Amino acid sequence: MDRMACVDVPAFPLQILLRRHPEWRRLPAAVVDRDRPQGILLWVNEKARTLRVLPGQRFATALSLARDLRAAEVPSNEIERAVAATADRLRRFTPGVEPADGEPGVFWLDASGLEPLFRSLRRWASLLRADLADAGFAATLVVGFDRFGTYAVAKSSARSGLVLFDDAASEREAARRIPLDRLALPPSVRDALWKLGVRTVGAFVDLPPRGIESRFGEVAHRLHRLASGALALGLSPAPPAEVFAGRCLLDYGEADAMRLLVVVEDLLRPILAALARAGRAVLELRLGLVFEREGERTESLRPAAPTLDAAQLLDLVRIRLESIDLLHPAVEVSLDADAATATREQLDLFRERPRRDVAAANRALARLRADFGADAVSRAALRDGHLPEGRFSWEALDRLAQAVPRDVAMPPLIRRIYAEPVPLPTGSRRDVGDALGSYVVSGGWWRRTVDRAYHFAETNSGDVLWLFYDRIRRRWYLQGRLE
Amino acid sequence: MIQAPYASLWCKSHFSFLEGASRPKELLAAAKTLGVAAVALTDRDGVYGVVEAHRAAKETGARLIVGSEVTIDDGSTIVLLAESRAGYANLCRLVTLGRRRSEKGESAVHWNEVAAHADGLIALWGGDRSVLVTGNDATCDAIAPALREAFGDRLYALVARHRRAEEPRQEARLRTRAGRHGLPLVAAIEVLYHDAARRDLQDVLTCIRHGVTLATAGRLTKPNAEHALASPAAFAALFADDPAAVRRTLEIAERCRFSLADLRYRYPAERLPDGTTTSEWLRQLTFDGARWRYGGDVPEGAAAQLEKELALIDELDYGGYFLTMWEIVRFCNQHEIYCQGRGSAANSAVCYCLGITAVDPVSMGLLFERFLSRERAEPPDIDLDIEHDRREEVIQHVYQRYGRTHAAMVANVIRYRPRSAVRDVGKALGLPETALDRVSKLLSHCGEIPAATLAEVGLASDGDAHRHLLRLATEIQDVPRHLSIHPGGFLLGHEPVSDIVPIENATMPDRTVIQWNKDDLEELGLFKIDLLGLGALTQLHLGFDLMERHHRQRFSMATIPRDEPATFEAIRRADTVGVFQIESRAQMAMLPRLKPRTYYDLVIEVSIVRPGPITGDMVHPYLRRRAGEEPVIYPHALLEPVLAKTLGVPLFQEQVIRLAMVAADYTPGEADQLRRDMAAWRQAGRIEMHRERLLTRMIAKGIEPAFAERVFQQIKGFGEYGFPESHAASFALIAYAAAWMKRHYPAAFACSLLNAYPMGFYSPATIVDDAKRHGVLVWPIDVATSAWPCTLEPAPESPHAFAIRMGLRYVSGLPSRDGARVVAAREQAAFRSIDDFAERTRLDEGALARLAEAGAFASLDPDRRAALWTARGLARFERPPLPLALTEETPAFAPLDEFETITWDYEASGLSSRAHPLAPLREDLAAQGLPDSAAVSAMEDGARVRYAGIVICRQRPGTASGVVFMTLEDEHGFVNLVVWSRVFEQYAALIQTATFIGVTGRLQVEEGVVHLVADTFWPPRVRRTPSSGASRDFR
């Protein structure tokens, strides 16, 4: 490889944050590790830097330097997703893309042999930057020859945006002039070197390597070796995420579910074979249909457990195909699988049991999901609230656990709760006999005030109702019934 | 229908910290309004609020029952009410047991302890945290008989109703169990606030207590607003099915006859020589002391005064209190701890002769009645100042002498202020903590929370969160948050203190604290002794020690020359940086005007720069009369004796009191009430109550209405803080001693000041620069010579013979144990190199780096960067068992220039002994036409000035109508700025944040006092921003 480039999306998590809060762009802003005054600043923008607000400071300290400093957390999974998406974008311009480990927003690119495709490296670089700008990221791109040289110059060229070196010597010379505090050094090392008057890469490189290692540790030493050229690392492009997918264009439109199932089966077999080679199993299957006139549709299907069982998967596809109205013929079918490693427990799910076959129940629930949609199976989970509807919530049930029934001496009365309290018509009072109450539940003033007086009332017909009078709306509601 | 009254027997106030949402007095007032027959204040594991409730009960006429909800070690609770004095003592003892064995803020007692303390107490067993409701049958059946046996017919089952769905089931269980054990039922609501409108605040307090937000609190908050004090009608309706349980509340209230007024307190008797009474022993000590004070024969006037005081002390039976103070002072003297009584005790000749105070009240004509009077019938209050770094020795001596049961420190209740209110309420509302941190930094320490400030940090002003934050943060202000400890107040008792008030653990080790604050003690007439820390005494002690060691001159506060002219000459020049009480910007501005020449002038100087005289418009008339610019006249001949020594202008609190007595015929009782109302100036309206009475009576006596009005304004002003003459006299002694030392032994003075720090008005950087301006050599920290404290070293080249060597204590972040290792290793042999230093001291990398950055290795390697490089390498270097030569070569580093050297000094030690931060920039500043402070001082009145300096002080006194005073400093001295509120508002951000600032304004020179009245502020244009010590900012 004779050419290498480095993309720096400065303060990458901060740019993610600023996409979330565009009103903060004109202020000093920072990403913190936690939303506390003691939270550590991880990334800061230029406005903050000019006020000497630097990564590594505590938020409270930084606030004393920049009184209008804005800060929030950016979760690591959000950063990871953005890094992966950005790497995918960059792959449109070069197959060799290496996201920097531990420094989100930095990517090394293989820039060799691209001139014929893009007419010139400058044009390639300009197109690439424009593409990142479309994605909402301001980036610096340096095209040069060396991993460290391009990186160092990229980290210090926030305003210039694009730098192209024609020879390695000028790249090396430019790198020596780079302020050290632009590089990803631990703050303690950065400050210690600053104290010693070591402010540039050049001054850093001039220090003895053993002295660096013994005083500032492995990270600084590695950076020193990279900067001095003692350690030359080639590009280690990250492979694109493994894709387990297939697509089939139909010669003619097909609206029959069974015939579409045959097409799906043809797509599924090679996918399962690929998964098996990778030691993985289907976690979720996405079935894509493109129709002649009606546009397209994607259906998600999730087996009870990761599986390579084609019959089980096809059964789920069949149920789903039969449940949707295929008003228009499909002209394209695609299948795309998310994979997971199968565990022994998952395999156990298929083992036959004499009673209470949980695996069978889970398969049945999977069929229900296939038939009625992914949210069709849910269960009530207890919550710590005061209102009846606040004492539980519905959560998706992915997998049924083995039941462990308790012995109860005196079973309580069963209360059936309505999904929404039902307003009672005026005049219902005459149907009510004895009533207990009132029991008052009120609160929520910080969000939406609630004030209810609850009663248990027996109707003339013997039903026991669970009623409340809403003191704010001034009317009666039926919360549920007792059995 | 007339409803029968009831007594509310389970009420928790703000003093169930972060649980109750009303003040005790609000509960009592509401009870009176609603017609509730009695209120039992039953705060959680304490009686913190009973004194406030007692006062409120007296004021409103509502009936108070004293009790507490006591936490048991199984997590359950029981409510105990004091039926009698014996019961109250048992309650205090029981709570003390629970508190003393627990962490601060917690309490737990055993059931058998409850039973053992049952005498005189009524127990109400119930509520949703009681065993009777939540426990199983077996537990309940095990506990109930023991309680029944201990309490007899004073054990009740408490039926609590709050309209919760689960309560009928719980109540059924309680009724069954109560029936089984023969417990009568009594009705109650767990009252958490006097009005349902406080429910929101109660929710927020609950969240703060549990560290959760409202959204995540779940069932930690109450499910409804049914915890308000109910009217008799509502209470009767709630318990309509059980009127007997309602009637029983009155029966219990009737049984609880205890009142705090029943407390009888005896001050501890001293251990006396055989056969001697307290009175005889005090008399003997007093007259022994008088002979020592007056040099043999006691003057007739003094003897008469002593006789008068001793007779009154005897009559009021306060002898023990004086003997205690004498004993503490004796302990201090024996252990060479400087101490001095302050405050009104200095009015007492007995205190003077016992060595408690140092001012002779007889020769000064001080008013003894200000200290002690028959009419006032309140305990004497002696505050003893003690060297601040040795005060703990004296505190532990008091504990040891009287025992933990008979001595405990007084509490200080920490209450919500705007910053803490916004932080805690905001967290409960789930607002981002970073935003709350931002807003709280913009708020002042007290006062309102402006809506605009919330909007400024991005909390939308139209949002619900903003509205709730503003409302609740305002509402929570002044609510007690937790208990802290008074700086030095002790309650001592002849009987165990824990019979009067529970004792609990403080956060500080070896400290125990009572549940009442100083106002509570005053309300109940209990004796308190105050052992206060005073840095100035530490400084003087250290200074006198240095003088003895290095100058072979043995002095003490009592033996320094009196009224020494050179000292007063320096004071008149306002050369008082570091001098106790007269070093502030305002004092320094006053000194050249007042021109003190005698000790009594200093007493006036200390008193005159106070909000009282300033707002009372007394300062300028006094100065004019003193300068002979206006005649000394008295508005009425009667007032001449009162005002003669202050030229007809009242400057002291005593004068104001006497003025009211003479001019308005105040009786001693009325005068005492006036003094109390002045002391309670924070409570609006108390002084105003005197207005009409004072004006009418003065006018009736022939005093001009205008003067009468002015006298009232002066009284009002004093209310906001005026000094008693005796207090000023005590402080003036210390001020004089410090000024004398500064004038004659400036090196010892500055050295001792640096070692006594933190104290005083200025940062160490300013103290060092001031010392240098007085010709004192200040040598930097050096591991070859520096001790832990700053020391004096012989310096023949210095006019003062000695130079200050900065101590290792000024290396930021260096622990004292590391300093001790350095000194110990050096005592073995001088350090040969940094390597040798590191090997022998075994300090860690951080300590070595800090020493290198501070320049402390200068004698081993003058290049600080190279020393830092070496130090870092050595700390990580694994030393071989045998010494080996290190082969690593030190790289060449850029040497520090003068600016960097000073910056490093400031970063590593907060000051620079080498030069002022502006010295290296002077050329640059001069090129811009900016003068230094010496040049500014030499300019004429009215000159236009542009100046730039380091901000060392900002002050916005409440008496100055928004005017801000700032002091800027450079290498030549100070420039004092006056910033009118209009200018301040315009440049607020720059003024509040800049450490180096430029100002343009007009010079005001008056009687040698120079002020620059600022028009505009600007950031100076310099290549590098100079370092500075932190600005000392005051209100």
Side-chain angles (χ1 to χ4, degrees), chain B residues 765-801:
Chain B
T766 301
I767 294 164
V768 163
D769 286 325
D770 180 71
K772 287 195 285 188
R773 285 194 286 272
H774 285 78
V776 175
L777 294 179
V778 183
W779 290 341
I781 303 163
D782 193 320
V783 294
T785 46
S786 287
W788 177 251
C790 301
T791 50
L792 293 184
E793 290 183 14
E797 67 272 39
S798 165
H800 305 295

Side-chain angles (χ1 to χ4, degrees), chain B residues 713-737:
Chain B
Q713 290 306 324
Q714 287 166 346
I715 290 174
K716 226 172 116 175
F718 263 95
E720 290 190 11
Y721 204 71
F723 259 18
E725 186 180 12
S726 50
H727 192 54
S730 299
F731 275 6
L733 277 179
I734 302 174
Y736 173 75

Side-chain angles (χ1 to χ4, degrees), chain B residues 74-94:
Chain B
D74 59 10
S76 71
T77 59
I78 187 166
V79 175
L80 301 175
L81 307 179
E83 193 183 41
S84 59
R85 172 68 181 93
Y88 175 73
N90 267 328
L91 179 65
C92 293
R93 284 184 213 127
L94 181 65

Side-chain angles (χ1 to χ4, degrees), chain B residues 547-747:
Chain B
M547 285 162 55
E548 186 176 354
R549 193 175 315 133
H550 297 286
H551 295 276
R552 308 286 172 214
Q553 298 281 341
R554 188 173 173 78
F555 281 106
S556 71
M557 281 179 65
T559 59
I560 57 171
R562 297 281 157 206
D563 289 342
E564 202 260 339
T567 302
F568 280 101
E569 184 274 330
I571 290 173
R572 285 195 294 278
R573 277 191 287 111
D575 182 12
T576 54
V577 168
V579 177
F580 180 62
Q581 283 291 313
I582 54 171
E583 62 172 337
S584 72
R585 173 206 53 77
Q587 288 279 5
M588 284 168 79
M590 181 61 67
L591 288 168
R593 292 174 181 157
L594 196 134
K595 301 182 180 66
R597 293 181 184 280
T598 64
Y599 162 68
Y600 193 73
D601 289 345
L602 268 190
V603 177
I604 290 176
E605 170 73 29
V606 167
S607 305
I608 203 165
V609 187
R610 299 284 153 194
I614 292 170
T615 55
D617 195 20
M618 302 166 201
V619 177
H620 292 289
Y622 176 79
L623 290 176
R624 282 197 296 273
R625 290 177 185 200
R626 192 179 160 85
E629 293 167 4
E630 85 177 32
V632 178
I633 48 165
Y634 301 95
H636 195 287
L638 281 173
L639 299 181
E640 187 168 347
V642 180
L643 301 176
K645 60 182 170 182
T646 51
L647 310 179
V649 179
L651 294 178
F652 302 115
Q653 206 183 58
E654 291 94 330
Q655 288 176 304
V656 175
I657 302 290
R658 289 183 70 179
L659 208 138
M661 293 172 78
V662 174
D665 289 333
Y666 262 46
T667 63
E670 286 174 326
D672 187 52
Q673 188 57 48
L674 174 64
R675 187 191 60 79
R676 285 164 177 274
D677 292 339
M678 281 164 64
W681 56 274
R682 282 193 177 88
Q683 294 169 31
R686 286 183 63 168
I687 293 278
E688 286 294 329
M689 292 189 304
H690 293 270
R691 182 193 168 93
E692 197 181 329
R693 194 190 309 169
L694 278 165
L695 294 188
T696 313
R697 291 188 192 175
M698 278 195 275
I699 291 164
K701 284 194 97 168
I703 294 171
E704 286 289 316
F707 181 81
E709 177 62 36
R710 223 176 97 205
V711 168
F712 176 72
Q713 290 306 324
Q714 287 166 346
I715 290 174
K716 226 172 116 175
F718 263 95
E720 290 190 11
Y721 204 71
F723 259 18
E725 186 180 12
S726 50
H727 192 54
S730 299
F731 275 6
L733 277 179
I734 302 174
Y736 173 75
W740 176 84
M741 190 186 289
K742 180 179 167 88
R743 172 65 183 81
H744 295 285
Y745 300 91

